[in-house]
Amino acid sequence: NQPVLIVGETGTGKELVAHMIHNLSPRYDRAFAVVNCAAIPRDLFESQFFGHEKGAFTGAGARHMGLLEESHQGTLFLDEVGDLSLDNQARILRAIETGEFRRVGGTEDIRCDFRLVSATNKNLDEATRNGSFRSDLYHRLRGIEIKIPPLRERAGDVPLLVEHFLE
């Protein structure tokens, strides 16, 4: 149950690889929760990722289950993880390390069991050196690292992809 980091340029099929990892695992019949780290606004990330309790903030009219909790016994896919702000990197680190978190406004720890798969088109080695990505989080994400070459280096895959998308 090692975490997997998938690295490659945009359009190389990182999410397809993440789905394959999930579908070939013992968790195949459980949730595959996708966190698009580049698309969730910074101020909404905590609520979307961890969930929130009713009344935790203005507009929180009901308890909301976050993407982390949705991934329980399944796979949590952090897509474009290299785009996470340093603040949000720090927020998710403990949950990734321990499997425990609290909803926004919550007082009780919630335990989740999930397979962690991440993907990025960023060079996280360089990002850790320049301080834009936490080295401790990078270490946690890359139990197994899969590098996907760009499609221009895999010309033999083009007919297979065309056939797949035509189906």
Side-chain angles (χ1 to χ4, degrees):
N1 201 24
Q2 287 277 355
V4 177
L5 176 63
I6 305 165
V7 179
E9 292 180 6
T10 300
T12 56
K14 296 181 296 292
E15 188 166 349
L16 289 173
V17 171
H19 273 283
M20 283 179 43
I21 291 167
H22 173 74
N23 291 337
L24 294 172
S25 79
R27 299 170 186 259
Y28 72 92
D29 59 343
R30 304 299 172 110
F32 181 82
V34 178
V35 180
N36 186 336
C37 299
I40 300 175
R42 286 174 85 160
D43 53 339
L44 295 179
F45 183 84
E46 263 188 299
S47 174
Q48 291 296 308
F49 191 77
F50 298 111
H52 61 259
E53 296 292 344
K54 179 179 179 177
F57 50 84
T58 304
R63 173 184 278 176
H64 169 72
M65 182 186 297
L67 293 164
L68 181 58
E69 196 170 352
E70 286 180 20
S71 72
H72 182 58
Q73 296 185 332
T75 300
L76 177 65
F77 177 50
L78 300 178
D79 194 17
E80 301 304 342
V81 71
D83 291 330
L84 275 175
S85 69
L86 284 169
D87 290 344
N88 287 332
Q89 290 174 40
R91 288 182 179 106
I92 70 170
L93 183 60
R94 179 177 178 269
I96 289 171
E97 288 176 334
T98 66
E100 292 183 351
F101 67 97
R102 287 185 183 181
R103 291 187 193 108
V104 175
T107 57
E108 295 181 20
D109 285 344
I110 298 170
R111 180 117 179 97
C112 274
D113 170 34
F114 55 89
R115 172 75 181 268
L116 180 63
V117 179
S118 306
T120 187
N121 60 9
K122 304 272 193 275
N123 181 332
L124 294 184
D125 279 323
E126 183 178 306
T128 58
R129 284 192 298 275
N130 72 27
S132 63
F133 201 86
R134 293 178 61 108
S135 61
D136 49 359
L137 179 57
Y138 182 44
H139 173 73
R140 295 284 182 267
L141 297 178
R142 61 178 234 175
I144 299 169
E145 187 170 338
I146 300 172
K147 293 183 180 179
I148 302 178
L151 193 55
R152 66 182 168 276
E153 295 175 14
R154 305 180 341 227
D157 289 352
V158 172
L160 297 171
L161 290 169
V162 168
E163 184 177 319
H164 170 77
F165 287 117
L166 287 175
E167 288 178 9

